[in-house]
Amino acid sequence: MSYHEPIFAMSLDPALLLDPQGVVTRVNASWQPTFGHSADDLVGKPLLGLLPPQEAEHLGQWLAALPADGGPQDLHTRVRAGNGEYRLLHLRAAREPDSGVICLIARERWVDEGERDHLRGIGHRWDALVHCLSDFVVTSDLEGVVLTINREVPGIPTDQLVGRPESMFTPIAPDERPALRQRFAHVIHTGETLTYETQVLYPDNTYGTFESRLGPIFDGATITGTVLVTRDLTRQRQAEEARRMAEQQIREYTIQLERSNRELERFASVASHDLQEPLRKIQAFSDRLRQKYEELLPEPGRDYVNRMQEAAKRMQDLINDLLMFSRLTTKEQRHAPVNLNKILTAVLSDLEVRVEENEAKIEAEGLPMIEADPMHMRQLFQNLISNAIKFRRPDKAPVVKITAEELPARGRATSVIMRVSDNGIGIDAKYHERIFGIFERLHSRGKYEGTGVGLAVCRKICEQHGGSIRVDSETGEGSTFIVELPLRQERKHQYP
Ligand code: ADP
């Protein structure tokens, strides 16, 4: 070792000698200034015992594999020293052939040019990424001084934040600052990242709502500052609030509407029910008057009785229709699979006399099976087809066409559109909505019989099944009533 001696002692690179068992026997003068351990700290101790277990294992394997012929070996490694700091090292070691003593030279490795370019590239990409974020990204030191911010906060110039004392806290609404200070202290003491919502107070005294994440910045094991990533939620929160209020208003209106509808329906039901009794009396006494005293009455008297009976009959029709209409909502619907072809056949059989009298032609396509209340379906077709015959043009025999088309939604048919069209008198566009109202009629009774309840009933039936009805028509050009109904009843549809 003698001729090695001066080189070992004088080397600018830290070096040490290990006996074959890995115990430090000599340390040169450069070791302490570089790594902080004095000769006394090291000599007589196993080198690997000074390192954390994982690092010790890695370095131990390398030393054990040193060739016995004295050839030197190099290792570029990152070693975590006892104080937790990482050091990039270039190690060179050789084993003396005879004694097995290991000479180890350690040089602190500086990042080479290639690595520096690589890191600079990462830096540029990182800057670009942070710049493009719509969130604000703010870094600070341990005292809460803002060091960087990726873009300007509206109304708060960046130079009022960067480098200013406590600038991490100044944009925050005063009453929320204590909570932020606590979070800040928590992050720098524990290294945890916190997520929270906070209010910013702008110089114009308006508030903004921000969702934030505050986390630590580490240098090795040491926390050197914080990073804050924060997102402006103000508009989103305002929109949510506006939507919440609108929904609340709609809910209130719906409740009011439901209440007044229920009251109206109860009124219609009670009124029509109670009117039946006095009406029956009028009919009964006018019948008796006619049967017993008709001979005694002069001609005008008989005419009066006749008119009275006609009026009573009309009142009876109105009451019956009103009762039927109000029962649509008061009675529970009974849904079942319904073959609409069978319903149509039954309706046409009921209307046989009328069809014949008017020499009407009915053309129907195959209709589907649907889930519905069978009585209501019968009522729907009955009303539409009898109207199509009733509102005929005097010079043309009625031709009524009934078609059906299944509407697919996401590949599967979920509803059916049925059209009942005629070649009758047609309806002016301005009445297309009105005719579905109760007691709405467009003609005098002398011209066309009816109470004006039929289409109101049709609309209520459609809505109760989750469907709809509308008309497409022009005066003199016939009418097409378009009914859309779901094929299945997923839930109970109740008219509000
Ligand atoms: P009603 O048939 O008892 O008069 P509806 O409620 O069934 O009552 O119809 C309301 C009004 O709509 C009718 O009075 C009529 O003016 C018009 N209407 C209904 N169906 C037709 C049709 N197919 N063609 C022309 N007008 C019609």
Short mmCIF file of all heavy atoms in Angstrom, two decimals, residues 321 383-384 387-391 422 424-427 435-437 440-443 448-456 473 478-479 481, ligand 1:
data_model
loop_
_atom_site.label_atom_id
_atom_site.label_comp_id
_atom_site.label_asym_id
_atom_site.label_seq_id
_atom_site.Cartn_x
_atom_site.Cartn_y
_atom_site.Cartn_z
N ASP A 321 -121.92 12.82 -20.18
CA ASP A 321 -120.57 13.01 -20.71
C ASP A 321 -119.63 13.59 -19.65
O ASP A 321 -118.47 13.20 -19.54
CB ASP A 321 -120.60 13.96 -21.93
CG ASP A 321 -121.00 13.19 -23.18
OD1 ASP A 321 -121.22 11.96 -23.05
OD2 ASP A 321 -121.10 13.80 -24.25
N ASN A 383 -114.76 7.64 -30.29
CA ASN A 383 -114.91 9.09 -30.45
C ASN A 383 -114.32 9.57 -31.76
O ASN A 383 -114.94 10.37 -32.47
CB ASN A 383 -114.24 9.85 -29.29
CG ASN A 383 -114.96 9.64 -27.98
OD1 ASN A 383 -115.97 8.94 -27.93
ND2 ASN A 383 -114.45 10.21 -26.91
N LEU A 384 -113.11 9.09 -32.10
CA LEU A 384 -112.45 9.59 -33.30
C LEU A 384 -113.19 9.13 -34.56
O LEU A 384 -113.39 9.92 -35.50
CB LEU A 384 -110.98 9.13 -33.34
CG LEU A 384 -110.07 9.73 -32.27
CD1 LEU A 384 -108.66 9.16 -32.36
CD2 LEU A 384 -110.02 11.26 -32.39
N ASN A 387 -116.64 10.87 -34.94
CA ASN A 387 -116.45 12.25 -35.41
C ASN A 387 -116.14 12.27 -36.91
O ASN A 387 -116.64 13.13 -37.64
CB ASN A 387 -115.30 12.92 -34.66
CG ASN A 387 -115.73 13.52 -33.33
OD1 ASN A 387 -116.92 13.52 -33.02
ND2 ASN A 387 -114.79 14.00 -32.55
N ALA A 388 -115.26 11.34 -37.33
CA ALA A 388 -114.85 11.31 -38.74
C ALA A 388 -116.06 11.08 -39.66
O ALA A 388 -116.11 11.59 -40.77
CB ALA A 388 -113.81 10.22 -38.95
N ILE A 389 -117.03 10.32 -39.13
CA ILE A 389 -118.25 10.10 -39.94
C ILE A 389 -119.19 11.30 -39.81
O ILE A 389 -119.77 11.79 -40.79
CB ILE A 389 -118.97 8.80 -39.50
CG1 ILE A 389 -118.04 7.60 -39.70
CG2 ILE A 389 -120.28 8.63 -40.24
CD1 ILE A 389 -118.55 6.30 -39.11
N LYS A 390 -119.30 11.80 -38.56
CA LYS A 390 -120.26 12.88 -38.30
C LYS A 390 -119.92 14.17 -39.05
O LYS A 390 -120.78 14.78 -39.66
CB LYS A 390 -120.29 13.15 -36.78
CG LYS A 390 -121.23 14.26 -36.37
CD LYS A 390 -121.53 14.26 -34.88
CE LYS A 390 -120.32 14.50 -34.01
NZ LYS A 390 -120.67 14.74 -32.61
N PHE A 391 -118.63 14.55 -39.03
CA PHE A 391 -118.25 15.82 -39.65
C PHE A 391 -117.90 15.62 -41.13
O PHE A 391 -116.87 16.06 -41.61
CB PHE A 391 -117.12 16.48 -38.86
CG PHE A 391 -117.54 16.84 -37.45
CD1 PHE A 391 -117.16 16.08 -36.35
CD2 PHE A 391 -118.39 17.93 -37.23
CE1 PHE A 391 -117.58 16.40 -35.07
CE2 PHE A 391 -118.82 18.27 -35.95
CZ PHE A 391 -118.42 17.50 -34.87
N ASP A 422 -109.88 11.49 -42.25
CA ASP A 422 -111.16 11.47 -42.96
C ASP A 422 -111.12 12.46 -44.12
O ASP A 422 -110.17 13.22 -44.27
CB ASP A 422 -112.31 11.78 -41.98
CG ASP A 422 -112.17 13.16 -41.35
OD1 ASP A 422 -112.02 14.15 -42.09
OD2 ASP A 422 -112.21 13.25 -40.09
N GLY A 424 -113.59 14.72 -44.48
CA GLY A 424 -114.74 15.54 -44.09
C GLY A 424 -114.51 17.04 -44.23
O GLY A 424 -113.67 17.49 -45.02
N ILE A 425 -115.21 17.80 -43.37
CA ILE A 425 -115.23 19.26 -43.53
C ILE A 425 -113.93 19.95 -43.11
O ILE A 425 -113.70 21.11 -43.44
CB ILE A 425 -116.40 19.89 -42.72
CG1 ILE A 425 -116.28 19.51 -41.24
CG2 ILE A 425 -117.74 19.48 -43.30
CD1 ILE A 425 -117.27 20.25 -40.34
N GLY A 426 -113.08 19.25 -42.37
CA GLY A 426 -111.79 19.84 -41.96
C GLY A 426 -111.96 20.86 -40.85
O GLY A 426 -113.08 21.25 -40.48
N ILE A 427 -110.83 21.33 -40.31
CA ILE A 427 -110.83 22.27 -39.17
C ILE A 427 -109.80 23.37 -39.45
O ILE A 427 -108.64 23.05 -39.76
CB ILE A 427 -110.46 21.56 -37.86
CG1 ILE A 427 -111.37 20.34 -37.63
CG2 ILE A 427 -110.52 22.49 -36.66
CD1 ILE A 427 -110.82 19.33 -36.66
N ILE A 435 -110.30 22.68 -29.93
CA ILE A 435 -111.29 21.59 -30.00
C ILE A 435 -111.06 20.50 -28.95
O ILE A 435 -111.96 19.72 -28.67
CB ILE A 435 -111.32 20.94 -31.41
CG1 ILE A 435 -109.91 20.51 -31.81
CG2 ILE A 435 -111.95 21.87 -32.43
CD1 ILE A 435 -109.89 19.65 -33.05
N PHE A 436 -109.84 20.46 -28.34
CA PHE A 436 -109.59 19.43 -27.33
C PHE A 436 -110.05 19.87 -25.93
O PHE A 436 -109.94 19.12 -24.97
CB PHE A 436 -108.09 19.07 -27.28
CG PHE A 436 -107.64 18.36 -28.53
CD1 PHE A 436 -106.98 19.03 -29.54
CD2 PHE A 436 -107.91 17.00 -28.69
CE1 PHE A 436 -106.57 18.39 -30.69
CE2 PHE A 436 -107.51 16.34 -29.84
CZ PHE A 436 -106.84 17.03 -30.85
N GLY A 437 -110.55 21.11 -25.82
CA GLY A 437 -111.07 21.60 -24.54
C GLY A 437 -112.48 21.06 -24.31
O GLY A 437 -113.22 20.79 -25.26
N GLU A 440 -116.02 22.34 -26.00
CA GLU A 440 -115.68 23.19 -27.14
C GLU A 440 -116.26 22.57 -28.41
O GLU A 440 -115.96 21.43 -28.75
CB GLU A 440 -114.15 23.33 -27.29
CG GLU A 440 -113.49 24.15 -26.22
CD GLU A 440 -113.81 25.64 -26.30
OE1 GLU A 440 -114.45 26.06 -27.28
OE2 GLU A 440 -113.43 26.37 -25.36
N ARG A 441 -117.07 23.34 -29.11
CA ARG A 441 -117.66 22.88 -30.36
C ARG A 441 -117.55 24.03 -31.36
O ARG A 441 -117.58 25.19 -30.99
CB ARG A 441 -119.15 22.54 -30.18
CG ARG A 441 -119.44 21.71 -28.97
CD ARG A 441 -120.81 21.08 -29.04
NE ARG A 441 -120.87 20.12 -30.13
CZ ARG A 441 -121.79 20.14 -31.08
NH1 ARG A 441 -122.70 21.09 -31.12
NH2 ARG A 441 -121.79 19.22 -32.02
N LEU A 442 -117.45 23.68 -32.64
CA LEU A 442 -117.28 24.73 -33.64
C LEU A 442 -118.57 24.98 -34.42
O LEU A 442 -118.63 25.87 -35.25
CB LEU A 442 -116.15 24.35 -34.62
CG LEU A 442 -114.79 24.05 -33.99
CD1 LEU A 442 -113.77 23.70 -35.06
CD2 LEU A 442 -114.29 25.23 -33.16
N HIS A 443 -119.61 24.18 -34.15
CA HIS A 443 -120.84 24.31 -34.97
C HIS A 443 -122.06 24.36 -34.06
O HIS A 443 -122.01 23.91 -32.93
CB HIS A 443 -120.97 23.12 -35.91
CG HIS A 443 -119.71 22.88 -36.69
ND1 HIS A 443 -119.40 23.60 -37.80
CD2 HIS A 443 -118.69 22.03 -36.46
CE1 HIS A 443 -118.22 23.19 -38.25
NE2 HIS A 443 -117.77 22.24 -37.45
N TYR A 448 -124.70 19.86 -36.31
CA TYR A 448 -124.08 18.59 -35.90
C TYR A 448 -124.40 18.36 -34.43
O TYR A 448 -124.21 19.24 -33.60
CB TYR A 448 -122.55 18.67 -36.06
CG TYR A 448 -122.10 18.88 -37.48
CD1 TYR A 448 -121.73 20.13 -37.93
CD2 TYR A 448 -122.04 17.80 -38.38
CE1 TYR A 448 -121.30 20.33 -39.22
CE2 TYR A 448 -121.61 18.00 -39.69
CZ TYR A 448 -121.24 19.27 -40.10
OH TYR A 448 -120.84 19.47 -41.39
N GLU A 449 -124.88 17.15 -34.13
CA GLU A 449 -125.18 16.78 -32.76
C GLU A 449 -123.90 16.66 -31.93
O GLU A 449 -122.83 16.40 -32.49
CB GLU A 449 -125.89 15.41 -32.74
CG GLU A 449 -127.40 15.52 -32.74
CD GLU A 449 -127.91 16.30 -31.52
OE1 GLU A 449 -127.52 15.96 -30.40
OE2 GLU A 449 -128.70 17.26 -31.71
N GLY A 450 -124.00 16.83 -30.64
CA GLY A 450 -122.81 16.56 -29.81
C GLY A 450 -122.77 17.46 -28.59
O GLY A 450 -123.52 18.44 -28.48
N THR A 451 -121.89 17.10 -27.65
CA THR A 451 -121.76 17.88 -26.42
C THR A 451 -120.42 18.61 -26.32
O THR A 451 -120.21 19.41 -25.42
CB THR A 451 -121.86 16.94 -25.19
OG1 THR A 451 -120.84 15.95 -25.32
CG2 THR A 451 -123.21 16.29 -25.08
N GLY A 452 -119.48 18.26 -27.19
CA GLY A 452 -118.15 18.91 -27.13
C GLY A 452 -117.24 18.29 -26.10
O GLY A 452 -116.25 18.91 -25.70
N VAL A 453 -117.54 17.06 -25.69
CA VAL A 453 -116.70 16.41 -24.67
C VAL A 453 -115.79 15.34 -25.29
O VAL A 453 -114.74 14.99 -24.74
CB VAL A 453 -117.60 15.78 -23.57
CG1 VAL A 453 -116.78 15.07 -22.51
CG2 VAL A 453 -118.45 16.86 -22.92
N GLY A 454 -116.18 14.85 -26.50
CA GLY A 454 -115.48 13.70 -27.09
C GLY A 454 -113.96 13.86 -27.19
O GLY A 454 -113.20 12.98 -26.75
N LEU A 455 -113.49 14.97 -27.76
CA LEU A 455 -112.04 15.12 -27.96
C LEU A 455 -111.31 15.40 -26.64
O LEU A 455 -110.15 15.02 -26.47
CB LEU A 455 -111.74 16.24 -28.96
CG LEU A 455 -112.05 15.89 -30.42
CD1 LEU A 455 -111.71 17.07 -31.34
CD2 LEU A 455 -111.31 14.65 -30.89
N ALA A 456 -112.02 16.07 -25.68
CA ALA A 456 -111.41 16.28 -24.36
C ALA A 456 -111.15 14.93 -23.70
O ALA A 456 -110.11 14.71 -23.07
CB ALA A 456 -112.31 17.15 -23.49
N SER A 473 -105.04 19.46 -40.05
CA SER A 473 -106.24 19.63 -40.88
C SER A 473 -106.30 21.03 -41.49
O SER A 473 -105.66 21.95 -41.00
CB SER A 473 -107.48 19.40 -40.00
OG SER A 473 -108.65 19.63 -40.73
N GLY A 478 -110.48 17.73 -45.10
CA GLY A 478 -110.41 16.53 -44.25
C GLY A 478 -109.50 16.76 -43.05
O GLY A 478 -108.82 17.78 -42.96
N SER A 479 -109.52 15.80 -42.13
CA SER A 479 -108.71 15.95 -40.90
C SER A 479 -107.97 14.65 -40.63
O SER A 479 -108.47 13.57 -40.96
CB SER A 479 -109.60 16.22 -39.69
OG SER A 479 -110.48 17.26 -39.96
N PHE A 481 -106.33 12.92 -37.23
CA PHE A 481 -106.02 12.94 -35.80
C PHE A 481 -104.85 11.99 -35.56
O PHE A 481 -104.89 10.83 -35.99
CB PHE A 481 -107.25 12.56 -34.97
CG PHE A 481 -108.23 13.71 -34.90
CD1 PHE A 481 -109.15 13.91 -35.91
CD2 PHE A 481 -108.20 14.59 -33.84
CE1 PHE A 481 -110.03 14.98 -35.87
CE2 PHE A 481 -109.07 15.67 -33.78
CZ PHE A 481 -109.99 15.87 -34.81
P1 ADP B 1 -118.56 16.86 -30.37
O1 ADP B 1 -118.24 15.86 -31.40
O2 ADP B 1 -119.46 16.36 -29.31
O3 ADP B 1 -118.99 18.17 -30.91
P2 ADP B 1 -115.76 16.74 -29.80
O4 ADP B 1 -115.03 17.11 -28.58
O5 ADP B 1 -115.70 15.32 -30.25
O6 ADP B 1 -117.22 17.19 -29.58
O7 ADP B 1 -115.26 17.66 -30.97
C1 ADP B 1 -115.11 19.03 -30.75
C2 ADP B 1 -115.26 19.78 -32.04
O8 ADP B 1 -114.15 19.50 -32.91
C3 ADP B 1 -116.45 19.34 -32.85
O9 ADP B 1 -117.60 20.06 -32.44
C4 ADP B 1 -116.03 19.73 -34.25
O10 ADP B 1 -116.25 21.08 -34.49
C5 ADP B 1 -114.55 19.48 -34.26
N1 ADP B 1 -114.22 18.14 -34.83
C6 ADP B 1 -113.94 17.02 -34.15
N2 ADP B 1 -113.65 16.00 -34.99
C7 ADP B 1 -113.72 16.51 -36.24
C8 ADP B 1 -113.52 15.97 -37.55
N3 ADP B 1 -113.18 14.69 -37.74
N4 ADP B 1 -113.68 16.80 -38.62
C9 ADP B 1 -114.00 18.09 -38.43
N5 ADP B 1 -114.20 18.66 -37.21
C10 ADP B 1 -114.08 17.88 -36.14
#
